[in-house]
Amino acid sequence: CRNLSKEYGNKKVLDNINLIIECGEKIGIVGCNGAGKSTLAHILSGKIDCTEGKVITNGNIGYMEQEDYEKEQNNDNMDYDY
């Protein structure tokens, strides 16, 4: 992404983010609650639009929401009676 910013009303959540992710790379986004991690992931994956800047891709960007991950983990840990 290049010069990426996102605002909700008067609140700027992301400000001038520049990021290069090479094809095949896997990344993690770490930060405090409310820092804009989910917003950045949603913008990169095309779920929401940025206020300024642009996302440039040569393919698809996948993103697994925390809730999806937790559901998957709970399903994997279920006890089965056979």
Side-chain angles (χ1 to χ4, degrees):
C1 60
R2 190 174 298 152
N3 302 320
L4 193 78
S5 296
K6 178 66 176 177
E7 295 177 3
Y8 292 105
N10 291 332
K11 183 176 181 178
K12 189 168 261 193
V13 179
L14 301 173
D15 188 18
N16 199 33
I17 303 294
N18 291 288
L19 177 66
I20 297 172
I21 305 169
E22 297 294 337
C23 185
E25 282 186 319
K26 295 175 178 68
I27 66 163
I29 302 171
V30 181
C32 298
N33 289 344
K37 301 176 301 291
S38 293
T39 299
L40 177 59
H42 286 142
I43 292 170
L44 294 176
S45 64
K47 290 185 176 185
I48 63 173
D49 292 327
C50 56
T51 306
E52 296 176 27
K54 62 167 59 175
V55 176
I56 304 165
T57 64
N58 289 330
N60 295 324
I61 297 174
Y63 167 56
M64 179 181 277
E65 303 249 5
Q66 181 173 345
E67 291 82 12
D68 294 336
Y69 175 78
E70 289 171 352
K71 284 181 195 174
E72 183 178 289
Q73 293 302 303
N74 287 336
N75 288 337
D76 286 348
N77 293 326
M78 292 178 71
D79 292 329
Y80 295 98
D81 292 327
Y82 293 101

